[in-house]
């Protein structure tokens, strides 16, 4: 059996090697390392894929979130509502900009921010909501947009884990995750569903003025060459990374299907097990399974992870400490937030390997290993 990894990028690369190598070679020979043609072309192709007016590439997903908040003109002291049950970057950039992260609990089924709990967290200082489509499950965007519109708040979707996922609204229209709020942000970190071979990220918006502001902030606040109107950052997608993304974007739906097949097999194997809760799929969300995350009961989770490791099955805890319990936010009094669902799920979740290259032998071995421990 081929050794099992959380994400198997080597075997994925082997299948697209000739295209990637040829594209990279061309960049090396042209020396157009910064803003080469593939960067613009990829932006256009991603716009078409997402059905959005503007894609602005940047250096990584964390930058995308920071640039979104800067472009939106958020000011020190403004409050931003976000889940604590997320990768740290979401909340970190809020604090970095001297904004205040206000953590709201998650829905125990979807792992996404609970829209019914947002309103109670709104104060006169609240300016934005940052929902996170965690593990590839798309948040209940209608409910979030309703609260946001009522209180005139900006919605910045953290779509780092759900690119290619969709949301079907009450209007019956299906839209791509990241294109429903005012700004969408994503990451092309290698292990993401659409990953490059280094760092990369992007922002999406349908708003022309916002797009212009985002482009300016991402490029040293520059409005015309060497004229700088606002304090910005330097955040670009490398040409070499754009080459990789241009090869992989046409394969994204295929990659998502491969992940969903693995998820279906796990679901079938673990259904009705008394100690296991398999991931929920809300009818409005087309889940892209960036992670396959179980909740497990009455188990010493560390011992279970160690047992799986012994069997050659990697497993991860995403995330062992929620944002509001991180030392980073001590100054914000964040540990005083009462987030019982977040606290509980943090102790129960475990993510199994899921990727585009999983074969039947590996899948069988993972399932057998899990079930041989949780009898
Ligand atoms: C990966 C990730 C980010 C950050 O992306 P980078 O490209 O690593 O900076 C932000 N939010 C979430 C939810 C992520 O999973």
């Amino acid at each position: 059996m081929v050794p099992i990894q959380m994400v198997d990028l080597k075997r994925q690369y082997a299948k697209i090697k000739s295209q990637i190598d040829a594209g990279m070679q061309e960049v090396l020979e042209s020396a157009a390392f910064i803003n080469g043609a593939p960067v613009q072309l990829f932006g256009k192709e991603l716009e078409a894929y997402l059905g959005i007016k503007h894609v602005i590439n940047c250096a990584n997903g964390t930058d995308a979130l920071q640039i979104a908040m800067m472009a939106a003109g958020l000011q020190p002291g403004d409050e931003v509502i976000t889940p604590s049950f997320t990768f740290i970057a979401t909340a970190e950039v809020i604090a970095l900009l001297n904004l205040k992260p206000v953590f709201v609990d998650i829905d125990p089924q979807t792992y996404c921010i609970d829209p019914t709990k947002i309103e109670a967290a709104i104060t006169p200082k609240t300016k934005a909501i940052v929902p996170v489509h965690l593990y590839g499950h798309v948040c209940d965007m209608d409910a979030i947009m309703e609260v946001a519109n009522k209180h005139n708040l900006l919605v910045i979707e953290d779509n780092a884990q759900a690119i290619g996922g969709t949301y079907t609204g009450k209007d019956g229209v299906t839209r791509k995750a990241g294109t429903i709020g005012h700004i969408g942000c994503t990451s092309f970190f290698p292990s993401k569903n659409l990953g490059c071979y280094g760092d990369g990220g992007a922002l999406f918006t349908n708003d022309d003025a916002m797009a212009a502001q985002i482009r300016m902030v991402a490029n040293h606040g520059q409005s015309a060459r060497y004229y700088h109107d606002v304090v910005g950052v330097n955040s670009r997608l490398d040409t070499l990374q754009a080459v990789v993304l241009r090869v992989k974007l046409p394969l994204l739906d295929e990659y998502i299907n491969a992940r969903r097949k693995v998820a279906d097999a796990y679901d079938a194997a673990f259904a009705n097990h008394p100690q296991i809760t398999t991931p929920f799929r809300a009818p409005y969300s087309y889940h892209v399974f960036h992670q396959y995350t179980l909740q497990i009961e009455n188990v010493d989770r560390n011992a279970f992870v160690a047992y799986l490791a012994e069997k050659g099955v990697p497993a991860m805890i995403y995330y062992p400490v929620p944002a509001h319990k991180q030392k980073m936010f001590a100054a914000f009094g964040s540990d005083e937030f009462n987030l019982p669902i977040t606290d509980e799920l943090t102790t129960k979740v475990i993510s199994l390997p899921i990727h585009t290259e999983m074969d039947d032998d590996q899948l069988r071995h993972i399932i057998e290993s899990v079930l041989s421990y949780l009898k």
Side-chain angles (χ1 to χ4, degrees):
M1 192 178 63
V2 178
I4 302 168
Q5 295 175 354
M6 286 302 286
V7 180
D8 193 337
L9 294 173
K10 283 189 196 167
R11 285 213 285 177
Q12 192 189 62
Y13 167 62
K15 293 181 181 163
I16 51 178
K17 179 173 166 38
S18 61
Q19 277 172 284
I20 300 263
D21 291 7
M24 289 235 174
Q25 196 62 40
E26 231 172 85
V27 176
L28 295 178
E29 279 160 22
S30 72
F33 301 114
I34 302 291
N35 287 332
V39 178
Q40 299 306 318
L41 291 168
F42 170 68
K44 292 290 159 209
E45 288 155 6
L46 188 57
E47 284 168 4
Y49 176 83
L50 294 172
I52 192 126
K53 261 175 110 174
H54 305 281
V55 163
I56 301 99
N57 295 310
C58 67
N60 58 68
T62 308
D63 274 9
L65 290 160
Q66 181 182 335
I67 292 164
M69 291 175 206
M70 290 172 76
L74 300 187
Q75 296 299 318
D78 286 350
E79 295 180 4
V80 179
I81 290 175
T82 196
S84 167
F85 198 84
T86 178
F87 177 59
I88 195 67
T90 323
E92 183 186 28
V93 299
I94 297 171
L96 182 72
L97 296 172
N98 290 312
L99 310 168
K100 186 183 177 203
V102 174
F103 296 111
V104 166
D105 216 349
I106 51 168
D107 177 291
Q109 288 189 296
T110 64
Y111 300 106
C112 293
I113 193 166
D114 183 342
T116 67
K117 293 184 180 158
I118 292 176
E119 202 147 31
I122 294 174
T123 76
K125 288 186 174 169
T126 309
K127 292 289 156 56
I129 306 172
V130 184
V132 182
H133 305 309
L134 203 74
Y135 304 148
H137 188 289
V138 186
C139 299
D140 187 355
M141 290 307 297
D142 275 348
I144 292 167
M145 295 312 291
E146 204 173 294
V147 189
N149 291 337
K150 185 172 161 197
H151 295 272
N152 200 22
L153 305 176
L154 188 84
V155 175
I156 301 169
E157 293 175 68
D158 182 342
N159 196 35
Q161 300 193 2
I163 195 154
T166 65
Y167 178 80
T168 304
K170 284 185 216 135
D171 58 5
V173 178
T174 296
R175 295 180 181 82
K176 286 267 167 31
T179 69
I180 301 150
H182 303 96
I183 306 174
C185 294
T186 204
S187 161
F188 304 124
F189 186 83
S191 64
K192 307 280 165 146
N193 285 22
L194 178 61
C196 57
Y197 293 167
D199 279 306
L203 300 98
F204 337 127
T205 185
N206 278 316
D207 180 328
D208 297 343
M210 186 64 87
Q213 198 69 20
I214 290 169
R215 281 183 213 286
M216 186 159 76
V217 168
N219 186 23
H220 299 292
Q222 178 170 280
S223 56
R225 196 158 204 192
Y226 303 130
Y227 289 81
H228 305 274
D229 295 7
V230 295
V231 174
V233 296
N234 170 26
S235 189
R236 293 185 283 245
L237 181 70
D238 288 354
T239 311
L240 286 167
Q241 302 308 336
V243 164
V244 176
L245 293 166
R246 289 195 72 210
V247 174
K248 288 176 78 169
L249 179 60
L251 301 170
L252 178 57
D253 287 345
E254 209 175 286
Y255 287 166
I256 291 169
N257 283 337
R259 287 173 175 273
R260 285 174 57 94
K261 266 195 196 147
V262 174
D264 290 345
Y266 283 149
D267 276 1
F270 304 137
N272 308 319
H273 190 289
Q275 284 164 281
I276 304 177
T277 305
T278 55
F280 179 72
R281 305 184 196 189
Y284 52 73
S285 159
Y286 183 77
H287 200 318
V288 295
F289 287 100
H290 175 59
Q291 299 299 343
Y292 185 88
T293 304
L294 299 170
Q295 291 175 42
I296 47 167
E297 311 264 355
N298 306 318
V299 174
D300 176 339
R301 193 171 50 171
N302 291 335
F304 180 39
V305 171
Y307 172 86
L308 291 175
E310 238 167 69
K311 296 261 173 193
V313 176
M316 294 289 289
I317 311 301
Y318 299 119
Y319 298 89
V321 182
H324 75 290
K325 294 272 173 72
Q326 298 286 354
K327 281 187 202 157
M328 178 194 275
F329 296 122
F332 292 88
S334 288
D335 57 349
E336 281 157 33
F337 284 97
N338 180 29
L339 308 172
I341 312 284
T342 294
D343 289 338
E344 188 193 337
L345 292 195
T346 298
T347 68
K348 290 185 174 172
V349 289
I350 177 167
S351 300
L352 297 179
I354 192 162
H355 55 71
T356 58
E357 311 305 315
M358 186 90 76
D359 62 44
D360 289 345
D361 286 345
Q362 293 177 315
L363 199 48
R364 204 173 311 121
H365 179 71
I366 296 167
I367 289 168
E368 278 171 12
S369 302
V370 168
L371 294 177
S372 67
Y373 192 83
L374 304 174
K375 287 185 191 76

